Amino acid sequence: MTDQESGGPTKGDSNGDGDGTGHTAPDRRPKSTFSGFGLDLPGHLAAHHPAIATVILVVVIALAALAIPKLHFDDNVQRVFASRAETTESRTSGRNLVVLVESETPFDAADFTAMRDFSLDLQLLDGAQFVLSPFSMRFPASHAAYPGEAVFPFEIADDEIEVRLEAYRASAPDVRPLISADRMSALVFVAIDGTMRRGQLRAKMEEVRTLAADFTATGLKYELTGVDAIAFDIAGAIKTDLIRLNAAGCVIAILLAYLIFSTLRTTLVVVAPALVGAMVSLALFVVLGFPVTVLSNVVPILVLVLGIADSIHLTMHYLVETEGSRRERLVQTISDVGPACALTALTTAIGFSAIGVTNNAPLRELAILGASGVMASFLVVLVSFTLLAPFCRPPAKSRRGFLMRAPVPAFVSRWALGRPRLVVLLAALVTLGGLYSVSRTEMWFPLFQNMPEKSAVRLANDRIETAFGGYFRLWIDIDITGDNALETPEGWARMNRLVEAVEKAAPDYSVLSVVSAARWLGKPAQAPSADDLERLDNSQRNQLFTPDGEHAHVIVFVPEPMRDHATLAIHDAITEAAMSAGAERVYGFPAVLRHNALPMIRQLAEGLMGACVIAVIVVAAAFRWPMLAPALLFPNALPLILSAAALHLFNDGQVNPTAVLALTVAFGIAVDDSIHFANRYRLERSLGLSVDEALDVAICQTGRVMIITTVLIAAGVLVTLTSAFSTVRLFGLMLITTFFVALAADLLLLPAILRLKWFRRPKWTTHS
């Protein structure tokens, strides 16, 4: 068969192309001593039964195309933090929507009239249980000037507004005024029926927005927020992110693949399998019944760039490293590179699986989606490559793309092979410095990091926390049955001690309780009777007790706990004071934000360490080379340590779940280069080359492909920096940093370690 018939010039041909280093392939190769755990078998089956493989692949593509339109997006922000399905909001009085009303000038009588009408219309909405607004505020019954009166009467003159507000503030109310000190902001709370489904709640929020639009005549601006409004805002941004990230990733991947191979045909052969793999990973969301979340929306783009990396390794080997007929070259490529690609998919899946150690549902979903998506994509890429590779023709050396022709810098071999002990020593010193830097980081995970940075809801939250302190409800329950009944002197004294302790811990926050009602009634020495409670506004009375009447609520309106360190200290002081004063439990969304995020980070860190150990053991087992495990651990741990240290630059030294997730996923991906390097070293040693010769070939040949794939993967991940979410941008930065540090470690540190006598494999199959 001529060169033209076999697809073009091959290494060792008359053109003298070879592999670019002067090494030529022998006529016979030894039997492989490397196992892909059978995962490379589909490639061999596709090579021998292309018609059947084509039919199966077409069916898979068709099913994936039908599934993708059914994608749905997560609109429950509490799932991101909660460790269980139950949420505390549903145990109380439903869901709270919060409307921030703003004006460019202090509110006047016309503004208050418009706000009152808006509040009254809100109360008429189906599903609205009650409305708490500035017009719900009343002076205490014992007030000298305005006993029991509404702070804002139905008819109010401009010159009365500030007088009545100052009188209310001077009465030291438990519920702070729902109007800011500058009288340019106001809050309206709407309690919505907690039994509503997500779709119904979304529709109800649109009703509120539509209603607000009807009350802007005086120049007032309305912005809807609250836990559910935040969730729906995030869901919309996730959808936009998913489309933008994947579209941009596809374009970048195609352009870089063309720069590598310089021919459109080969570019399509490289990119098409990866695109199908990413498509299948998207379909898995629907098949598994999982919603797309802030973090899981990066899975398809990761699968895409990893699929392209596998395609490049396979294609480069097929075009440059093999000879013979197309079928012979194809089978040889699958035998030589297929197991390595299978192992890289397996280690990446192990990295994703480690995320599933937490009790958090979205993270477990991410673990399942990532692991299954990577494995499914690998199988699709391997089969698709096998079917498409025969259409490729090796380009002449002069027509190869710049990246395909660029050599590995000569200093890499000089340092790795000439000064191995010095390289290892320098790496150890860098590692120690990185570990010290990591020890100075802090676990931290505020809610606002999960929100789109420029969203109107997030900006409204910032303004609310500046003007009012916060609107999240922290619920404190105390038993009021038996001897603790409020009607008894002991029970009432116990209730007062609890409220006073909470008020002392949070002097600037509003505290609502039955004690507040007693003070308002002018009877603080005794529990209010049923008739007394009927005098209260419905919006307050309905929140004082549990439906069964066995517990009394103390409600504290707080900002998110991890807004800053001062806020966190106040939150912890409230919890400690409440429990010390006899509270049975402290719960609510703020408690979830405070107590679930940090254990989640610790669990993810433990999963990361487990993934590192398991992955290197699996790789060593595949190579049947025990000492490869410790040899791989150092070069692949170093990038993680340096990337974690870089959090001082990327995230103010704060470690959040996203950072640990990025390190976990990055480890699974970064170890891929180590596998391909060790595989090439194994091949060359099996052919009879010495340690230094085999390492030099691995550096020059596989090193070049490693550089290409790292640049391509990093470029694909680079699109995450355009995300609306700071967490996604941090995820991308951590990945990119890890990839490039891992590349340097695999080219310098790994060969230096393998050259040391303790890590040499005692026996290799040699060519005979």
Side-chain angles (χ1 to χ4, degrees):
M1 179 175 285
T2 66
D3 286 337
Q4 185 67 26
E5 290 169 333
S6 65
T10 60
K11 76 181 213 176
D13 62 14
S14 57
N15 290 338
D17 259 354
D19 60 6
T21 63
H23 297 284
T24 59
D27 296 331
R28 295 168 53 208
R29 287 180 179 266
K31 182 179 179 180
S32 177
T33 59
F34 178 39
S35 170
F37 299 109
L39 293 173
D40 52 324
L41 182 60
H44 288 289
L45 293 176
H48 289 90
H49 306 285
I52 296 175
T54 300
V55 171
I56 294 174
L57 187 61
V58 169
V59 171
V60 169
I61 294 173
L63 292 176
L66 292 174
I68 289 175
K70 299 177 182 178
L71 284 170
H72 65 288
F73 298 84
D74 195 5
D75 58 7
N76 186 349
V77 71
Q78 299 195 49
R79 287 194 341 125
V80 175
F81 295 88
S83 59
R84 56 185 65 87
E86 179 186 18
T87 60
T88 53
E89 291 295 299
S90 63
R91 290 169 49 189
T92 52
S93 55
R95 300 182 173 98
N96 255 353
L97 301 181
V98 183
V99 182
L100 173 64
V101 186
E102 296 178 293
S103 174
E104 295 182 356
T105 58
F107 296 132
D108 57 20
D111 294 328
F112 279 108
T113 299
M115 274 192 282
R116 178 188 293 108
D117 293 342
F118 172 65
S119 301
L120 291 173
D121 282 2
L122 284 177
Q123 290 178 328
L124 299 177
L125 288 176
D126 291 336
Q129 295 179 326
F130 62 83
V131 175
L132 178 65
S133 72
F135 310 100
S136 305
M137 299 188 302
R138 291 180 174 274
F139 288 99
S142 57
H143 196 276
Y146 310 103
E149 293 184 18
V151 176
F152 299 103
F154 192 79
E155 296 289 342
I156 186 170
D158 286 331
D159 56 0
E160 292 182 282
I161 295 174
E162 193 58 37
V163 174
R164 296 179 76 96
L165 266 175
E166 284 300 321
Y168 182 73
R169 292 190 182 102
S171 68
D174 294 276
V175 178
R176 301 294 184 268
L178 299 180
I179 295 177
S180 63
D182 60 8
R183 238 173 65 209
M184 296 169 64
S185 303
L187 292 181
V188 178
F189 292 83
V190 188
I192 301 295
D193 182 2
T195 63
M196 279 190 178
R197 296 184 177 183
R198 304 300 292 175
Q200 294 173 313
L201 180 60
R202 187 187 289 271
K204 190 61 59 180
M205 290 173 60
E206 289 306 314
E207 286 187 46
V208 174
R209 288 193 173 96
T210 300
L211 182 62
D214 296 334
F215 287 93
T216 58
T218 62
L220 298 180
K221 295 183 294 184
Y222 300 81
E223 185 59 53
L224 187 61
T225 183
V227 174
D228 292 294
I230 291 172
F232 292 134
D233 187 57
I234 291 174
I238 292 172
K239 186 174 184 179
T240 303
D241 250 25
L242 182 70
I243 296 171
R244 182 174 62 245
L245 295 184
N246 283 279
C250 289
V251 172
I252 291 174
I254 292 171
L255 290 176
L256 283 178
Y258 185 79
L259 287 175
I260 295 168
F261 296 103
S262 293
T263 66
L264 183 60
R265 179 185 298 182
T266 307
T267 298
L268 293 177
V269 169
V270 169
V271 174
L275 290 176
V276 176
M279 187 174 166
V280 170
S281 73
L282 267 177
L284 285 175
F285 282 87
V286 179
V287 173
L288 296 172
F290 294 157
V292 183
T293 66
V294 174
L295 290 174
S296 65
N297 74 337
V298 302
V299 168
I301 187 65
L302 285 176
V303 167
L304 173 66
V305 295
L306 291 174
I308 291 179
D310 279 345
S311 288
I312 289 175
H313 277 288
L314 291 164
T315 304
M316 291 280 282
H317 196 84
Y318 174 79
L319 295 180
V320 178
E321 304 292 336
T322 59
E323 57 185 11
S325 69
R326 292 180 179 178
R327 171 65 64 83
E328 290 170 343
R329 291 159 54 206
L330 187 59
V331 171
Q332 191 64 61
T333 296
I334 297 171
S335 297
D336 288 348
V337 183
C341 290
L343 194 55
T344 61
L346 189 58
T347 56
T348 304
I350 289 172
F352 271 110
S353 299
I355 299 169
V357 300
T358 69
N359 296 323
N360 181 271
L363 291 182
R364 289 198 303 272
E365 292 168 8
L366 174 62
I368 296 170
L369 286 165
S372 59
V374 166
M375 296 307 298
S377 174
F378 159 72
L379 295 174
V380 168
V381 167
L382 186 62
V383 172
S384 300
F385 165 80
T386 305
L387 297 175
L388 295 175
F391 295 97
C392 288
R393 291 184 178 181
K397 190 170 184 179
S398 60
R399 294 192 57 197
R400 294 176 186 174
F402 168 75
L403 292 176
M404 193 174 178
R405 288 184 283 110
V408 176
F411 76 86
V412 174
S413 291
R414 286 201 307 269
W415 275 80
L417 304 182
R419 300 179 177 87
R421 288 181 174 80
L422 180 59
V423 169
V424 173
L425 177 61
L426 291 175
L429 293 175
V430 171
T431 301
L432 290 175
L435 287 172
Y436 174 77
S437 182
V438 171
S439 71
R440 310 293 293 177
T441 58
E442 177 186 22
M443 292 190 294
W444 199 259
F445 191 34
L447 171 64
F448 65 81
Q449 287 186 352
N450 281 276
M451 300 176 63
E453 279 194 331
K454 297 182 180 179
S455 77
V457 174
R458 175 170 175 170
L459 296 176
N461 287 345
D462 292 340
R463 295 195 296 272
I464 289 174
E465 293 191 352
T466 300
F468 300 97
Y471 63 85
F472 294 113
R473 293 181 295 177
L474 184 67
W475 298 83
I476 303 170
D477 279 6
I478 186 170
D479 179 40
I480 56 172
T481 60
D483 294 339
N484 295 321
L486 297 181
E487 291 76 14
T488 67
E490 296 79 7
W492 183 242
R494 183 167 172 265
M495 185 73 200
N496 272 275
R497 284 195 299 271
L498 172 61
V499 172
E500 289 168 2
V502 171
E503 290 174 335
K504 184 178 180 180
D508 297 324
Y509 296 164
S510 293
V511 181
L512 180 65
S513 69
V514 67
V515 173
S516 312
R519 293 171 181 170
W520 183 87
L521 291 166
K523 303 176 182 179
Q526 63 185 36
S529 65
D531 290 338
D532 289 334
L533 293 175
E534 286 297 324
R535 297 174 58 189
L536 298 178
D537 188 276
N538 287 337
S539 62
Q540 298 179 14
R541 185 174 63 249
N542 291 344
Q543 301 183 74
L544 299 182
F545 306 99
T546 56
D548 58 14
E550 294 184 355
H551 293 84
H553 291 314
V554 177
I555 307 166
V556 190
F557 292 87
V558 300
E560 62 167 300
M562 290 192 180
R563 187 73 185 182
D564 51 48
H565 288 86
T567 304
L568 181 62
I570 295 174
H571 177 95
D572 289 346
I574 294 172
T575 301
E576 183 179 352
M579 298 306 293
S580 299
E584 188 168 310
R585 59 180 178 268
V586 179
Y587 59 100
F589 190 49
V592 172
L593 294 175
R594 170 64 180 96
H595 297 291
N596 285 19
L598 301 189
M600 186 192 310
I601 296 172
R602 283 192 288 269
Q603 290 171 349
L604 287 170
E606 292 168 0
L608 170 59
M609 290 185 287
C612 292
V613 174
I614 293 172
V616 296
I617 290 175
V618 168
V619 174
F623 280 90
R624 301 184 181 94
W625 184 3
M627 289 306 294
L628 185 60
L632 291 180
L633 195 57
F634 187 13
N636 285 285
L638 175 60
L640 302 185
I641 293 169
L642 294 186
S643 294
L647 284 170
H648 290 285
L649 298 175
F650 298 154
N651 202 42
D652 296 325
Q654 296 175 355
V655 181
N656 58 26
T658 302
V660 188
L661 283 174
L663 293 176
T664 306
V665 174
F667 174 82
I669 298 173
V671 78
D672 295 358
D673 280 345
S674 299
I675 293 169
H676 284 291
F677 186 94
N679 183 45
R680 183 57 183 260
Y681 173 65
R682 174 195 66 83
L683 282 173
E684 300 303 329
R685 288 283 284 139
S686 299
L687 297 175
L689 296 187
S690 67
V691 170
D692 282 1
E693 289 173 333
L695 287 173
D696 185 50
V697 173
I699 290 171
C700 294
Q701 290 306 296
T702 303
R704 179 167 52 188
V705 184
M706 288 160 54
I707 293 172
I708 291 172
T709 55
T710 299
V711 170
L712 189 144
I713 293 174
V717 174
L718 197 65
V719 299
T720 59
L721 302 187
T722 67
S723 172
F725 298 93
S726 62
T727 50
V728 176
R729 295 200 299 275
L730 177 63
F731 188 86
L733 279 172
M734 298 286 287
L735 287 180
I736 292 170
T737 302
T738 305
F739 294 157
F740 280 107
V741 177
L743 175 65
D746 284 328
L747 288 177
L748 287 167
L749 182 56
L750 180 56
I753 292 175
L754 293 180
R755 193 176 183 278
L756 301 176
K757 62 180 180 180
W758 304 290
F759 298 100
R760 296 179 184 176
R761 195 173 187 274
K763 285 186 178 181
W764 291 94
T765 303
T766 56
H767 173 62
S768 57

